[in-house]
Amino acid sequence: MSEKELRRYSRIVVDGVEQAPSRAMLRAVGFSEDDFKRPQVGIASTWSMVTPCNMHIGGLAEEAAMAAGEAGGKGVVFNTISVSDGISMGTPGMRYSLVSREIIADSIEAVAGAEGFDGLIAIGGCDKNMPGCVMALARLNRPSVFVYGGTIRPGAERRDIVSVFEAVGARSGGTITDAELLEVERTAIPGPGACGGMYTANTMASAIEALGMSLANSSAQEAVSDQKIDDCHRAGEAVMNLIRQDIKPLDIMTRDAFENAIAVVIALAGSTNAVLHLLAMAREANVPLSLDDFTKIGARVPVLADVKPSGEYLMSELIEIGGIQPLMKRMLDKGLLHGGCMTVTGKTLAENLADVADYPPGQKIIRGFDDPIKADSHLAVLYGNVAPDGAVAKITGKEGLRFEGSARVFHSEEEALQAVLDGLVVAGDVIVIRYEGPQGAPGMREMLSPTSAIMGKGLGSDVALITDGRFSGGSHGFVVGHVSPEAAAGGPIALIEDGDRIQIDAESKEINVAVADEELARRRAVWKRPPSPVKRGVLAKYRNEVSSASEGAVTIPPSWDE
């Protein structure tokens, strides 16, 4: 490619007499004369001191910018926002979490589009900024690499943030003291990095690697490590290679690549949030993807990873045995991945995996195909008169495959949590938390506080929970989220009353309430949507634009041509 072709976007901003003002501004931020002749690489950093997930990413961004410069480009670092799920969980602030995914995508698009970057590196380290980054890269469709900020190291006694949430339930149940709770609180989070189990951050990092948008083992590195620094250096080299080869995100983010991502998420027992985010990412990449695709792929892909929250091991322990690359090699050899997919290395997935060694003998984290944790997917997409448009359950089989109980209905997460802590929820109950969906919350809050309280109370096998909200990747137990249509949209979950019998069946993929159609029609006739808790600002904008959870809770408006 010619120099002008390499600078397809930046030359519009910096070439010619008329662009002297642009060059003058850029000289002030450190551009040399030679830099104007180099491809510009935008480094989208999600650094902030808001959360440990992102507190180290500023340094990673500088490393990536330096590496892009050494490879012949000019790295330009800019920031976007991040919201901490762990801090806002269980509070009204959690409404902003999923909304932040859209803000992040919009902000990266805005900066990159305005500045004329020829390529991009996006570095994310928390649940929503990771899919938000990839959504923006798909929109912009310029040569790009995603870098995961890395997982946190384990706290004392292998603790992590979920240990703290569950300790709250244990304290309420009287099984630990105030002093013991404080000890967990003080030792669970030792420093930078994303939450340590196969929660949403590590799930999405793995999915993005399987998708082909990050380099090998980017998902399986600790935040504070030489490997993560090297990942940033390799990303700088890789993006310049992609610019020279003119390989763009939409060349990588194909239908087959999304199927690879789904398959790896299932094998790793990943978070239900992956369903929401992969649907949204596919929408940005113009790839048809639906809830039913998770069911089809899940029928042939087993759960192989014994990882937290439902299993035993942390991401750091998976890193020690080789990360997800050996798992992907096994899956490729078994015919469960599409090997011909292009990746950010400029090579296909099969080429990247050709020389990957298997896991060491005797490891217990990744099971063999002859000894799976579950023979098919733990992500069960359920339909029925509670969820005509679908719901997503995370059921590993340890909780059982079927649950029937009496509804205990709550209009908010806070009400449900208090009832659990006060001992008002008992064995055999199905907790129904509604008006927490994309429109209703608004923002589709995660229900980690009540699910953790249930586990801490020792009710994990005896109580189910359904919601039109969603779950943290740290949630486990018999839980069903993303119920669609949501209550605020008049979905059937709005019509359930205390005492109604609810049946959840992960084998038949059904979720039903044992109420006659005529009675549901009577209830619908008198139902009124409660007033929204927000009147203005970004939450109101989101509420008015967001789609159903079954479509990824995206805010992409219809085209004028549609």
Side-chain angles (χ1 to χ4, degrees):
M1 296 178 70
S2 69
E3 181 222 349
K4 282 193 174 182
E5 288 173 318
L6 290 175
R7 297 191 301 114
R8 180 174 300 172
Y9 300 99
S10 62
R11 65 186 174 86
I12 299 171
V13 176
V14 301
D15 284 8
V17 173
E18 66 279 11
Q19 294 308 123
S22 303
R23 293 193 297 274
M25 297 285 283
L26 290 169
R27 290 179 195 278
V29 297
F31 271 59
S32 68
E33 201 68 46
D34 184 56
D35 288 336
F36 295 119
K37 300 181 178 66
R38 294 168 172 256
Q40 291 185 31
V41 178
I43 315 292
S45 167
T46 57
W47 171 86
S48 75
M49 292 303 289
V50 167
T51 170
C53 310
N54 296 68
M55 61 188 287
H56 63 301
I57 285 178
L60 299 182
E62 294 297 338
E63 296 284 352
M66 180 180 67
E70 292 173 349
K74 172 60 177 176
V76 182
V77 178
F78 66 97
N79 259 77
T80 183
I81 67 159
S82 189
V83 169
S84 173
D85 292 3
I87 295 171
S88 62
M89 195 74 70
T91 76
M94 188 63 192
R95 292 179 176 135
Y96 289 91
S97 172
L98 187 57
V99 177
S100 75
R101 185 189 71 181
E102 314 303 306
I103 298 171
I104 290 161
D106 291 348
S107 66
I108 294 174
E109 176 199 354
V111 174
E115 298 300 314
F117 297 135
D118 302 296
L120 289 156
I121 297 172
I123 309 176
C126 204
D127 296 15
K128 310 310 167 301
N129 59 47
M130 298 165 66
C133 285
V134 176
M135 289 162 68
L137 301 183
R139 265 186 223 174
L140 290 157
N141 199 32
R142 301 178 190 185
S144 303
V145 178
F146 176 78
V147 173
Y148 177 40
T151 191
I152 197 170
R153 290 175 174 168
E157 298 186 27
R158 300 176 66 246
R159 291 174 181 139
D160 62 9
I161 187 61
V162 175
S163 306
V164 188
F165 279 97
E166 294 187 356
V168 172
R171 177 65 192 93
S172 174
T175 58
I176 66 172
T177 65
D178 286 338
E180 289 171 319
L181 174 58
L182 183 59
E183 172 65 12
V184 174
E185 175 189 330
R186 285 175 169 169
T187 61
I189 312 295
C195 300
M198 193 53 66
Y199 312 143
T200 304
N202 283 321
T203 296
M204 290 312 301
S206 302
I208 293 166
E209 182 176 330
L211 188 66
M213 284 300 296
S214 63
L215 295 167
N217 271 333
S218 183
S219 68
Q221 294 163 344
E222 290 184 335
V224 181
S225 66
D226 292 341
Q227 290 75 22
K228 184 48 64 183
I229 297 294
D230 182 62
D231 190 29
C232 294
H233 292 171
R234 291 188 299 126
E237 298 167 4
V239 75
M240 289 304 301
N241 180 54
L242 293 171
I243 290 171
R244 294 184 182 105
Q245 294 192 51
D246 195 29
I247 297 173
K248 299 183 286 294
L250 297 191
D251 300 320
I252 296 169
M253 297 171 66
T254 63
R255 167 71 190 207
D256 282 354
F258 275 98
E259 291 189 1
N260 287 346
I262 293 170
V264 168
V265 166
I266 292 168
L268 288 170
S271 165
T272 54
N273 277 320
V275 178
L276 201 69
H277 296 323
L278 287 170
L279 289 172
M281 290 156 58
R283 177 71 181 271
E284 295 284 5
N286 299 315
V287 171
L289 197 70
S290 72
L291 284 176
D292 292 340
D293 291 313
F294 288 82
T295 299
K296 292 173 186 174
I297 295 168
R300 58 185 174 83
V301 178
V303 177
L304 300 174
D306 185 13
V307 288
K308 289 180 177 288
S310 58
E312 177 64 24
Y313 296 98
L314 291 162
M315 190 66 175
S316 289
E317 293 164 311
L318 178 57
I319 290 169
E320 289 175 1
I321 64 166
I324 73 167
Q325 289 279 296
L327 171 63
M328 291 173 62
K329 179 65 158 49
R330 288 183 177 184
M331 294 176 71
L332 179 67
D333 292 345
K334 195 76 171 177
L336 297 176
L337 296 180
H338 303 286
C341 294
M342 179 55 63
T343 73
V344 292
T345 64
K347 298 178 181 180
T348 66
L349 181 71
E351 290 172 328
N352 291 341
L353 295 173
D355 298 323
V356 171
D358 198 13
Y359 292 115
Q363 63 82 26
K364 298 180 180 179
I365 303 174
I366 302 295
R367 300 269 192 95
F369 289 102
D370 58 348
D371 182 34
I373 290 170
K374 192 170 184 286
D376 57 2
S377 180
H378 64 303
L379 299 175
V381 177
L382 312 178
Y383 292 94
N385 68 354
V386 171
D389 293 342
V392 180
K394 182 179 181 182
I395 299 174
T396 64
K398 297 177 181 178
E399 312 85 353
L401 297 173
R402 191 175 188 280
F403 195 99
E404 180 172 346
S406 298
R408 292 292 307 274
V409 181
F410 304 95
H411 283 199
S412 72
E413 177 188 6
E414 288 88 350
E415 290 180 15
L417 174 62
Q418 197 58 53
V420 174
L421 295 177
D422 289 345
L424 302 179
V425 171
V426 298
D429 283 347
V430 177
I431 300 170
V432 179
I433 306 178
R434 61 192 182 198
Y435 299 107
E436 291 286 9
Q439 295 178 23
M444 203 178 180
R445 293 195 290 176
E446 292 180 346
M447 304 292 120
L448 180 57
S449 293
T451 59
S452 296
I454 289 166
M455 300 304 293
K457 283 274 195 175
L459 292 170
S461 301
D462 302 315
V463 168
L465 189 154
I466 71 172
T467 179
D468 52 8
R470 59 198 175 92
F471 296 108
S472 162
S475 291
H476 57 123
F478 212 106
V479 296
V480 182
H482 307 202
V483 171
S484 301
E486 63 175 290
I493 191 173
L495 309 179
I496 297 172
E497 296 181 356
D498 283 338
D500 289 346
R501 298 295 290 177
I502 295 176
Q503 301 107 19
I504 307 165
D505 194 322
E507 291 187 307
S508 66
K509 306 291 194 294
E510 292 182 288
I511 179 168
N512 290 296
V513 58
V515 176
D517 291 345
E518 295 80 8
E519 173 60 16
L520 289 175
R522 184 195 67 77
R523 295 179 188 179
R524 179 173 299 284
V526 298
W527 172 81
K528 293 182 180 179
R529 178 168 45 220
S532 176
V534 301
K535 305 300 179 187
R536 59 177 61 84
V538 68
L539 292 179
K541 292 178 187 177
Y542 183 85
R543 177 197 62 213
N544 294 341
E545 295 178 3
V546 70
S547 69
S548 164
S550 64
E551 299 174 335
V554 294
T555 57
I556 303 174
S559 166
W560 278 16
D561 297 329
E562 290 182 10

